[in-house]
Amino acid sequence: RRIMKDLFYYLFYRASKFYKSWGENSNYYISGKFLLFLAICANILTLIGLFCNILKIRYSIEVIYVVCILFSVLSFFILNEKKYKELEEKYKNEKNNKIKGWLVIAYIIGSIILYFISLAFL
């Protein structure tokens, strides 16, 4: 459980750091958490689609709306700028940060692509 929590926070940190390095000074952490929750939402919807496909059930667009709204609301309560600052201090001397950054970007893009691929099978 601790590993998943650390991974979640690390993904948030790296996504936010990506936006901060691109010069977005005021809302970088909001953009980072948006990307993180978008990827997680895509993962959940891919799993729902997989289970519905296995059970030969078609799910409606309302399921997508509910999952996206739920994760959007959760994002307001979980992550903030203060948490980013804590994580920035924790990871300031991390090794292989470029590779890890590319892995986080690959995870986010891969999650979204996988979701769109899963739509083709529904």
Side-chain angles (χ1 to χ4, degrees):
R1 183 177 173 144
R2 176 79 178 154
I3 293 171
M4 291 303 290
K5 186 177 177 182
D6 288 343
L7 180 61
F8 176 76
Y9 285 139
Y10 185 76
L11 290 170
F12 163 67
Y13 165 71
R14 292 303 298 194
S16 297
K17 184 177 179 182
F18 172 76
Y19 277 101
K20 190 175 182 181
S21 69
W22 270 36
E24 190 173 327
N25 294 325
S26 60
N27 296 324
Y28 58 90
Y29 66 96
I30 294 172
S31 300
K33 73 179 172 181
F34 171 75
L35 275 181
L36 174 61
F37 279 99
L38 179 67
I40 293 171
C41 187
N43 291 335
I44 298 296
L45 289 172
T46 300
L47 289 174
I48 290 171
L50 177 67
F51 288 128
C52 288
N53 195 15
I54 290 171
L55 299 173
K56 306 290 187 218
I57 301 171
R58 289 196 59 89
Y59 69 92
S60 64
I61 192 77
E62 288 83 14
V63 172
I64 296 171
Y65 291 147
V66 167
V67 171
C68 290
I69 290 170
L70 176 68
F71 279 100
S72 296
V73 170
L74 282 175
S75 73
F76 288 113
F77 297 108
I78 296 176
L79 303 170
N80 54 32
E81 189 173 16
K82 180 181 174 188
K83 187 64 180 174
Y84 174 81
K85 297 290 184 188
E86 291 172 14
L87 294 169
E88 187 176 41
E89 185 63 31
K90 179 179 179 180
Y91 294 114
K92 69 180 176 183
N93 295 323
E94 97 179 303
K95 295 179 183 177
N96 301 322
N97 60 353
K98 293 241 187 246
I99 294 171
K100 292 175 183 177
W102 282 108
L103 288 173
V104 169
I105 290 170
Y107 163 71
I108 292 170
I109 292 171
S111 295
I112 295 166
I113 290 172
L114 184 63
Y115 169 67
F116 284 114
I117 290 172
S118 74
L119 286 177
F121 295 105
L122 295 178

